[in-house]
């Protein structure tokens, strides 16, 4: 992110259980017990939502085409 000059949204460590569950079509978020990975993915989702909401507030350039 730093090299590309974009904000880092999250740092989520690689976890074998997350990968295995995903490979089996069952997202880690479907676990019944508390899980640190789930909390990290939820925080990432909230960060993305907040950035999307903030982006809606910014004025965007417009393009006008005329003859």
């Amino acid at each position: 992110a730093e090299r590309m000059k974009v904000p880092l949204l999250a740092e989520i460590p690689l976890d074998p259980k997350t990968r295995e569950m995903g490979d089996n079509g069952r997202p880690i978020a479907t676990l019944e017990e508390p899980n640190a990975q789930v909390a990290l993915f939820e925080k990432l989702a909230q960060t993305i939502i907040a950035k999307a909401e903030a982006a809606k507030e910014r004025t965007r350039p417009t393009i006008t085409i005329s003859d």
Side-chain angles (χ1 to χ4, degrees), residues 4-60:
M4 297 182 79
K5 296 180 171 71
V6 296
L8 179 65
L9 298 177
E11 289 186 77
I12 302 176
L14 297 175
D15 177 53
K17 187 171 188 172
T18 301
R19 184 198 53 79
E20 290 167 9
M21 291 186 70
D23 287 349
N24 292 320
R26 187 165 177 234
I28 193 79
T30 62
L31 281 178
E32 298 294 326
E33 70 267 4
N35 182 287
Q37 287 272 301
V38 172
L40 292 171
F41 279 108
E42 288 175 349
K43 185 176 178 189
L44 170 60
Q46 290 301 320
T47 299
I48 292 169
I49 290 167
K51 288 190 174 294
E53 290 295 323
K56 287 195 309 189
E57 302 300 320
R58 289 194 296 261
T59 304
R60 291 176 174 72

